[in-house]
Amino acid sequence: DTEVTQTPKHLVMGMTNKKSLKCEQHMGHRAMYWYKQKAKKPPELMFVYSYEKLSINESVPSRFSPECPNSSLLNLHLHALQPEDSALYLCASSQEGTGSPLHFGNGTRLTVT
Amino acid sequence: GQQLNQSPQSMFIQEGEDVSMNCTSSSIFNTWLWYKQDPGEGPVLLIALYKAGELTSNGRLTAQFGITRKDSFLNISASIPSDVGIYFCAGATSGTYKYIFGTGTRLKVLA
């Protein structure tokens, strides 16, 4: 069982919808990440939060809006997505400090219609 | 974005055989990680490496941090059917949360 929990497991949304992806970890990790993974490709970094503050934004379009309400929770708010945004969205966490291993959740499979 | 080159891209092996794969970068890394990903799931951490030349084992898996700090290697001994999946390396430089992932090696084991 993964210690990083993501909900929902699957999500289908239209291009005009607003939805949110949720991630939770209880390992006391202080860094949390969003990655996007297309089929047969490696994960690509989107955002990093360190101590609940946005540390890295990899030039992600504004239709993706991250939020870190507290050290255990990470959300990704979605609005006006495009079909090419369909992918597996992975959340990860790591201990404080760079170089700590990432621990991934099982992802949310997003389909934009 | 930037990616690390992994080879081979894919491989078929017979059950019981040993497997080797590697990851190379044009940049120096301070940390190397190896992950396995099964279909429909997130990557699972196999081994973490922190020092050039370091050799670390996890059961039948052994990974090495290359002495140039630009490469890393993963070996799987006596492969079994459940070793099937995609193996990713990931590297990071000091002082950053930014892990770069390799292109992946897809492993298929023939019983």
Side-chain angles (χ1 to χ4, degrees):
Chain A
D1 286 340
T2 179
E3 295 181 83
V4 178
T5 304
Q6 290 188 244
T7 55
K9 191 172 177 62
H10 301 277
L11 178 62
V12 179
M13 61 184 291
M15 290 188 285
T16 59
N17 292 159
K18 287 185 180 180
K19 296 286 184 183
S20 297
L21 309 184
K22 297 185 182 300
C23 176
E24 188 170 4
Q25 60 89 12
H26 293 289
M27 295 180 282
H29 290 172
R30 303 314 299 264
M32 296 187 76
Y33 308 71
W34 281 115
Y35 279 83
K36 174 182 177 180
Q37 187 178 29
K38 301 285 269 186
K40 299 184 180 181
K41 296 291 186 181
E44 290 188 4
L45 182 64
M46 299 175 72
F47 303 104
V48 180
Y49 274 84
S50 173
Y51 288 91
E52 302 160 43
K53 292 186 178 178
L54 185 63
S55 175
I56 295 177
N57 177 344
E58 288 287 279
S59 302
V60 179
S62 59
R63 57 185 183 271
F64 296 91
S65 176
E67 178 195 19
C68 189
N70 60 56
S71 60
S72 299
L73 294 174
L74 186 66
N75 299 322
L76 186 62
H77 303 298
L78 314 172
H79 174 55
L81 294 194
Q82 303 297 311
E84 58 265 29
D85 296 322
S86 299
L88 181 67
Y89 287 84
L90 293 162
C91 174
S93 68
S94 69
Q95 291 179 346
E96 182 273 334
T98 58
S100 299
L102 303 175
H103 296 264
F104 284 91
N106 280 328
T108 294
R109 174 72 60 190
L110 175 67
T111 302
V112 182
T113 61
Chain B
Q2 180 186 355
Q3 290 182 350
L4 303 177
N5 291 318
Q6 258 183 269
S7 64
Q9 271 192 331
S10 65
M11 54 195 314
F12 284 88
I13 60 168
Q14 293 285 341
E15 183 177 356
E17 287 185 346
D18 296 345
V19 175
S20 293
M21 61 189 78
N22 67 74
C23 197
T24 58
S25 168
S26 57
S27 304
I28 289 175
F29 288 131
N30 296 96
T31 303
W32 283 97
L33 308 176
W34 283 93
Y35 288 89
K36 178 176 183 275
Q37 186 173 24
D38 293 329
E41 298 184 6
V44 174
L45 181 67
L46 300 174
I47 292 178
L49 302 161
Y50 300 103
K51 190 175 177 182
E54 179 182 356
L55 190 70
T56 298
S57 294
N58 178 6
R60 294 179 296 106
L61 278 62
T62 301
Q64 185 164 22
F65 193 137
I67 57 173
T68 66
R69 296 165 63 194
K70 291 185 177 182
D71 53 12
S72 182
F73 309 89
L74 178 68
N75 294 313
I76 305 173
S77 63
S79 58
I80 59 178
S82 62
D83 289 335
V84 166
I86 303 178
Y87 291 79
F88 289 106
C89 63
T93 54
S94 175
T96 176
Y97 289 103
K98 194 170 177 177
Y99 276 98
I100 307 300
F101 277 78
T103 47
T105 294
R106 186 179 298 269
L107 181 63
K108 301 182 183 181
V109 179
L110 305 174

